[in-house]
């Protein structure tokens, strides 16, 4: 602060330098560094502030990158753990009937989902029926179980046709799915908001599918689509391998008999 008295003009000038705590204040005041005296300490202060802001910005970018990497690593570890658990379940099972309940429970627990079903073809091969069901909260989903148990889904129609044409995981709001899968009309009353369909694939063809129901507030499967695709592919291979093994055993018995 400096005061200058011009006696001949009978004027008194007060020369001041604005106090600022961030570089953005320069623009707000319509100033640039050229407006300051070379000996004004505010110039040095602004230089320090600019360096601090730049360093803080770099730190924040680094922190966000670390957070992203930590999230990616956590997701990768979850996928690896899930696939290891799936492999163990399938290795220890002789047939899909014994493996399916364990697989459904494992997937639902990993994602925090409420309900899981495995749909496989009936003996005629013209429709899918629920061969295994997992309920995280049976007291809240009994209506869904009743509707599921009595439902037969014709091959090649509606969402089933879509899964057969494009064997990739499909995520839908339950309201939309209910119009395409009538047995899901009871799900919304149980607090279910989302449905995920995972095709069971063998040799590029859909031979069945998993159906998972959950609330939108829990883990959605966008980040785990590769995991879900792996689930469908491994299950499809397991079913085919067990069928082939059963056929070999039967043939061997006929030859021995």
């Amino acid at each position: 602060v400096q005061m200058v008295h011009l006696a001949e003009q009978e004027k008194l000038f007060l020369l001041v330098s604005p106090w600022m705590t961030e570089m953005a204040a320069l623009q707000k005041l319509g100033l640039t560094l050229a407006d300051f005296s070379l000996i004004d300490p505010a110039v040095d202060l602004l230089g320090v502030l600019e360096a601090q802001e730049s360093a803080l910005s770099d730190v924040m970018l680094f922190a966000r990158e670390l957070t992203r990497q930590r999230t990616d690593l956590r997701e990768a570890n979850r996928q690896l753990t899930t696939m290891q658990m799936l492999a163990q379940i399938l290795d220890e099972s002789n047939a899909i009937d014994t493996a399916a309940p364990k697989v459904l429970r494992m997937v639902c627990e990993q994602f925090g989902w409420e309900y899981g079903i495995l749909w496989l073809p009936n003996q005629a091969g013209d429709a899918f029926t629920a061969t295994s069901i997992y309920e995280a909260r049976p007291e809240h989903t009994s209506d869904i179980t009743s509707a599921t148990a009595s439902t037969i889904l014709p091959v090649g129609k509606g969402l089933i046709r879509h899964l057969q044409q494009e064997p990739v995981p499909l995520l839908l709001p339950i309201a939309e799915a209910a119009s395409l899968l009538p047995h899901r009309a009871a799900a919304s009353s149980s607090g279910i908001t989302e449905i995920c369909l995972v095709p069971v694939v063998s040799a590029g063809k859909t031979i069945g599918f998993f159906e998972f129901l959950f609330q939108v507030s829990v883990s959605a499967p966008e980040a785990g689509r590769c995991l879900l695709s792996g689930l469908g592919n491994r299950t499809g291979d397991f079913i085919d391998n067990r069928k082939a093994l059963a056929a070999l055993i039967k043939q061997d018995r006929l030859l021995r008999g």
Side-chain angles (χ1 to χ4, degrees), residues 87-107:
Q88 182 177 355
I89 291 172
L90 297 180
D91 289 342
E92 295 175 351
S93 303
N94 294 323
I96 190 62
D97 293 341
T98 56
K102 299 175 183 177
V103 172
L104 291 171
R105 178 170 184 169
M106 181 269 294
V107 173

Side-chain angles (χ1 to χ4, degrees), residues 11-249:
K11 293 182 179 180
L12 183 66
F13 288 90
L14 176 63
L15 306 179
V16 298
S17 180
W19 177 260
M20 288 169 287
T21 58
E22 58 180 2
M23 289 295 294
L26 279 176
Q27 185 176 2
K28 294 178 182 178
L29 296 174
L31 299 174
T32 66
L33 290 178
D35 295 320
F36 292 83
S37 169
L38 294 178
I39 61 173
D40 194 329
V43 175
D44 295 331
L45 175 61
L46 289 173
V48 173
L49 290 175
E50 185 176 20
Q52 288 180 340
E53 290 178 6
S54 178
L56 179 60
S57 177
D58 291 342
V59 169
M60 292 179 65
L61 287 174
F62 183 65
R64 284 195 291 267
E65 178 63 18
L66 285 179
T67 300
R68 184 192 64 79
Q69 291 181 2
R70 185 165 54 249
T71 300
D72 291 345
L73 180 60
R74 184 166 54 247
E75 178 60 26
N77 287 335
R78 181 176 71 165
Q79 293 190 25
L80 178 60
T81 300
T82 302
M83 293 308 295
Q84 288 175 338
M85 295 172 66
L86 174 63
Q88 182 177 355
I89 291 172
L90 297 180
D91 289 342
E92 295 175 351
S93 303
N94 294 323
I96 190 62
D97 293 341
T98 56
K102 299 175 183 177
V103 172
L104 291 171
R105 178 170 184 169
M106 181 269 294
V107 173
C108 286
E109 289 179 348
Q110 286 293 308
F111 282 95
W113 292 347
E114 297 281 332
Y115 203 92
I117 313 109
L118 174 62
W119 297 85
L120 292 176
N122 57 10
Q123 291 185 350
D126 59 356
F128 292 99
T129 58
T131 60
S132 185
I133 296 174
Y134 170 75
E135 302 172 87
R137 299 183 302 160
E139 66 277 10
H140 296 288
T141 53
S142 58
D143 291 343
I144 303 177
T145 300
S146 298
T148 299
S150 60
T151 296
I152 297 177
L153 300 174
V155 171
K157 293 186 178 180
L159 283 178
I160 310 306
R161 181 181 180 183
H162 176 84
L163 291 176
Q164 290 176 311
Q165 292 177 340
E166 298 184 29
V168 295
L170 180 64
L171 176 66
L172 290 171
I174 196 65
E176 182 178 346
S179 64
L180 301 171
L181 298 172
H183 65 290
R184 287 299 148 250
S188 58
S189 61
S190 301
I192 302 297
T193 58
E194 305 289 324
I195 179 173
C196 181
L197 302 177
V198 181
V200 175
V201 181
S202 177
K205 295 182 179 180
T206 299
I207 61 173
F209 65 95
F210 290 99
E211 179 183 3
F212 298 103
L213 308 177
F214 58 97
Q215 299 178 18
V216 72
S217 59
V218 303
S219 177
E222 284 82 356
R225 287 188 183 274
C226 291
L227 169 62
L228 295 174
S229 294
L231 166 68
N233 293 334
R234 289 293 299 271
T235 304
D237 291 341
F238 171 82
I239 293 174
D240 278 356
N241 291 339
R242 289 300 185 268
K243 285 183 178 179
L245 179 60
L248 288 174
I249 293 174

